[in-house]
Amino acid sequence: MKEQKFEAVHDEPMQVGECPTWHAVESALYWVDIDGKAVHRLHPASGKYSKWPMPSEPSAIAIDADNGLIVAMRHGIAHLNTTDGTLTDLVASPFDQSTMRFNDGRVDPAGRFWIGTLFEPRHTPLADMYVFEHGKLRRAWEGGMTVSNGLGWSPDGKIMYHADTTSHRIDSYDYDVGTGIHSHARRLQTFTADKKAADYGGRPDGAAVDSEGCYWVAMFEGARILRLSPSGEIIRELPVPVKCPTAVAFGGPDLHTLFITSASHNRSDDEKAQYPLTGKVLCTRVDVAGRQEPAYKH
């Protein structure tokens, strides 16, 4: 079998790299460093790199229809003008920022920006899910999860995917693109939570759906990316050269490049020695095309 090749697209390791997003109009990759409190952009063809410090932890970004970015941060949601660097607050976070922050987010096929939260004490499933649409924020569901992650939609928009990292599970839902309502939850996949178990392979983090409708998920602490069928069958396991991949995105001119963010925050020296690319943003070529992420629509 041909060896899978990976390369770092940027030399600086992230503390908690997240939410890689390919911008087709700019032919550029965006991502955030949550604990590093910054939004990053790289134009792979030219090597041009940009960085925008944020006032609080950014966790998710969405391409704006005006070719700026919508940024979800601990303190709220803002618009980043990537031409002049202007950051404009749009709506404040509707939760207690001392124990909660926004986490993973993605745009649905109709242009709504879905953003889950992370309940930092992690002892109770109190995280919520919000939807930002037409400049307003609404709560889509309350509680029942601790670390919201892995949002994605099937190519036809009829299935919504979501992971709760702390529960080591991925769920899928029926989805109505017209109304933005999800229903009929079912378990897609559950993973071993016991870190001492022989079959422990990490917990589900950020994800992306490819052009064939399969779900690619980064397995934090598992040093691997999984490709799941719409029924939840694991149809590919892709080992990666970092212990803690955090999220994936398809990009490049043909959408056959898989970008992978990773985390270095609170990782041991031994782990960093074993995985010298820890914290880097990686890329590799895959044999199936992805799909361009939709833009947020006002």
Side-chain angles (χ1 to χ4, degrees), residues 171-223:
D171 296 324
S172 62
Y173 302 82
D174 292 339
Y175 192 72
D176 187 322
V177 175
T179 62
I181 294 175
H182 65 290
S183 59
H184 301 107
R186 59 263 187 190
R187 189 62 45 87
L188 187 73
Q189 185 62 256
T190 303
F191 302 96
T192 301
D194 183 359
K195 294 185 180 182
K196 296 181 180 180
D199 62 343
Y200 180 73
R203 51 193 188 270
D205 205 320
V209 179
D210 66 28
S211 58
E212 297 178 359
C214 294
Y215 180 85
W216 296 64
V217 59
M219 297 298 290
F220 191 89
E221 289 187 336

Side-chain angles (χ1 to χ4, degrees), residues 8 26 62-63 82 98 106 114 117 133 155 171 188 209 232 255 272 287-288 294:
E26 297 181 4
I63 297 169
T82 56
S98 68
R106 288 295 184 190
W114 284 71
T117 60
E133 56 181 330
D171 296 324
L188 187 73
V209 179
L255 295 175
K272 292 176 183 178
D287 56 7
V288 61

Side-chain angles (χ1 to χ4, degrees), residues 52-124:
W52 297 271
M54 294 289 114
S56 64
E57 300 96 318
S59 63
I61 50 178
I63 297 169
D64 186 39
D66 296 330
N67 287 334
L69 288 184
I70 304 298
V71 186
M73 291 173 278
R74 182 184 293 271
H75 78 274
I77 297 173
H79 178 269
L80 173 63
N81 183 319
T82 56
T83 300
D84 62 16
T86 301
L87 188 69
T88 305
D89 286 332
L90 300 176
V91 61
S93 296
F95 45 72
D96 181 354
Q97 296 175 33
S98 68
T99 59
M100 192 97 72
R101 67 165 171 79
F102 282 119
N103 201 45
D104 182 65
R106 288 295 184 190
V107 177
D108 80 359
R112 305 177 186 91
F113 189 18
W114 284 71
I115 322 153
T117 60
L118 183 157
F119 181 62
E120 290 175 317
R122 307 195 189 202
H123 55 67
T124 309

Side-chain angles (χ1 to χ4, degrees), residues 6-297:
F6 296 85
E7 63 178 282
V9 303
H10 180 60
D11 287 337
E12 178 188 359
M14 302 292 106
Q15 293 188 52
V16 183
E18 270 286 3
C19 202
T21 303
W22 180 254
H23 196 309
V25 175
E26 297 181 4
S27 296
L29 178 73
Y30 285 87
W31 71 92
V32 303
D33 184 353
I34 298 176
D35 287 54
K37 296 182 181 179
V39 174
H40 301 256
R41 176 179 65 191
L42 177 71
H43 186 261
S46 68
K48 184 178 179 181
Y49 165 76
S50 304
K51 176 181 177 179
W52 297 271
M54 294 289 114
S56 64
E57 300 96 318
S59 63
I61 50 178
I63 297 169
D64 186 39
D66 296 330
N67 287 334
L69 288 184
I70 304 298
V71 186
M73 291 173 278
R74 182 184 293 271
H75 78 274
I77 297 173
H79 178 269
L80 173 63
N81 183 319
T82 56
T83 300
D84 62 16
T86 301
L87 188 69
T88 305
D89 286 332
L90 300 176
V91 61
S93 296
F95 45 72
D96 181 354
Q97 296 175 33
S98 68
T99 59
M100 192 97 72
R101 67 165 171 79
F102 282 119
N103 201 45
D104 182 65
R106 288 295 184 190
V107 177
D108 80 359
R112 305 177 186 91
F113 189 18
W114 284 71
I115 322 153
T117 60
L118 183 157
F119 181 62
E120 290 175 317
R122 307 195 189 202
H123 55 67
T124 309
L126 294 179
D128 301 325
M129 178 72 72
Y130 293 88
V131 179
F132 185 59
E133 56 181 330
H134 306 304
K136 296 181 179 180
L137 195 65
R138 65 175 173 87
R139 187 157 57 185
W141 77 71
E142 182 177 359
M145 55 189 167
T146 306
V147 180
S148 176
N149 253 317
L151 282 165
W153 282 266
S154 61
D156 62 7
K158 294 182 178 181
I159 300 174
M160 174 181 177
Y161 298 99
H162 176 260
D164 181 11
T165 301
T166 305
S167 298
H168 293 248
R169 76 173 195 265
I170 302 169
D171 296 324
S172 62
Y173 302 82
D174 292 339
Y175 192 72
D176 187 322
V177 175
T179 62
I181 294 175
H182 65 290
S183 59
H184 301 107
R186 59 263 187 190
R187 189 62 45 87
L188 187 73
Q189 185 62 256
T190 303
F191 302 96
T192 301
D194 183 359
K195 294 185 180 182
K196 296 181 180 180
D199 62 343
Y200 180 73
R203 51 193 188 270
D205 205 320
V209 179
D210 66 28
S211 58
E212 297 178 359
C214 294
Y215 180 85
W216 296 64
V217 59
M219 297 298 290
F220 191 89
E221 289 187 336
R224 60 183 184 150
I225 306 296
L226 298 179
R227 185 185 187 222
L228 276 62
S229 73
S231 63
E233 178 189 2
I234 297 174
I235 54 179
R236 184 177 181 185
E237 178 177 355
L238 179 65
V240 295
V242 290
K243 182 71 175 292
C244 296
T246 55
V248 296
F250 292 93
D254 60 0
L255 295 175
H256 275 269
T257 298
L258 187 70
F259 293 99
I260 305 160
T261 50
S262 66
S264 65
H265 182 63
N266 286 338
R267 308 316 302 176
S268 69
D269 290 340
D270 287 345
E271 179 178 313
K272 292 176 183 178
Q274 182 181 0
Y275 298 96
L277 294 177
T278 292
K280 300 290 184 72
V281 180
L282 309 177
C283 72
T284 189
R285 296 287 291 173
V286 292
D287 56 7
V288 61
R291 296 161 49 248
Q292 175 58 38
E293 292 289 331
Y296 168 75
K297 294 181 181 178

